[in-house]
Amino acid sequence: EKLDIVSVFREVIDNFRPQIEEKQMSIEFKPSGKYLTLANPVIEEVFANLLSNAIKYSPDEEKIIIDIRDYGEKWKVSITDFGVGIPDEDKPKLFERFKRVDKSGVKGTGLGLAIVKRIIDLHDGKVGVEDNPAGKGSVFWVTLNKA
Ligand code: ATP
Ligand code: MG
């Protein structure tokens, strides 16, 4: 049975409405078409963790941009925030369990990204983080094979 990741993402965004509204943030998500995949529904957990972080580590009233792109045999999802950002030296450690960058002052257990990496590895995908080219914040991305 195939899963449309666009509708999975819509569901995840809906689940985070209260947090998004509380911080008066906005989500930019304008996918065109459907992105069907055989990936396990556990992918919802991946999106939820990445969106949760983008909200948590952004100031009030900022936006989050979610983008899905087709690369033929795979697609790439990216979540761009305009938040606190991540220093280069911390980037490789973030996907390990209990690793946190404590400059943000935001609470968490440090498990979210380790879970994301675990799930994506199990589906032969890739996950990574880069600086937001806009000058503040981060871009977390995930690639997954379609079938
Ligand atoms: P949990 O997700 O378990 O509640 P957490 O958010 O602290 O806790 P992770 O999601 O694994 O843990 O993230 C690890 C660390 O990476 C965070 O503590 C934070 O320092 C940093 N981080 C993650 N996402 C972002 C982001 N979008 N912007 C800035 N820093 C981030
Ligand atoms: Mg988290």
Side-chain angles (χ1 to χ4, degrees), residues 8-142:
V8 174
F9 231 121
R10 288 223 170 88
E11 241 171 76
V12 170
I13 293 169
D14 277 343
N15 292 339
F16 279 93
R17 282 291 166 212
Q19 287 96 313
I20 293 164
E21 272 165 30
E22 195 186 310
K23 292 186 76 168
Q24 296 176 277
M25 296 184 72
S26 56
I27 307 276
E28 223 172 83
F29 182 47
K30 298 182 187 104
S32 50
K34 280 193 169 187
Y35 289 81
L36 296 176
T37 175
L38 285 174
N40 190 295
V42 79
I43 198 69
E44 181 172 348
E45 195 67 36
V46 169
F47 296 159
N49 274 300
L50 295 178
L51 185 58
S52 149
N53 285 344
I55 297 168
K56 269 204 300 193
Y57 302 108
S58 290
D60 288 3
E61 293 175 41
E62 276 294 359
K63 67 175 170 188
I64 292 167
I65 303 168
I66 300 166
D67 190 46
I68 302 181
R69 281 186 197 212
D70 202 317
Y71 285 86
E73 79 283 3
K74 65 179 87 176
W75 32 250
K76 184 173 182 178
V77 175
S78 57
I79 295 141
T80 300
D81 69 59
F82 296 78
V84 297
I86 299 160
D88 278 344
E89 63 267 30
D90 294 323
K91 286 189 180 80
K93 297 181 240 158
L94 292 184
F95 297 94
E96 294 169 23
R97 280 185 294 170
F98 309 121
K99 282 287 185 295
R100 305 200 67 236
V101 183
D102 56 13
K103 72 179 173 111
S104 61
V106 176
K107 293 211 162 55
T109 55
L111 277 172
L113 288 177
I115 292 167
V116 165
K117 176 125 175 66
R118 214 30 189 306
I119 294 170
I120 294 300
D121 282 350
L122 284 170
H123 289 92
D124 292 322
K126 289 195 172 117
V127 55
V129 60
E130 287 155 20
D131 291 333
N132 182 342
K136 60 170 175 168
S138 315
V139 182
F140 280 84
W141 55 264
V142 168

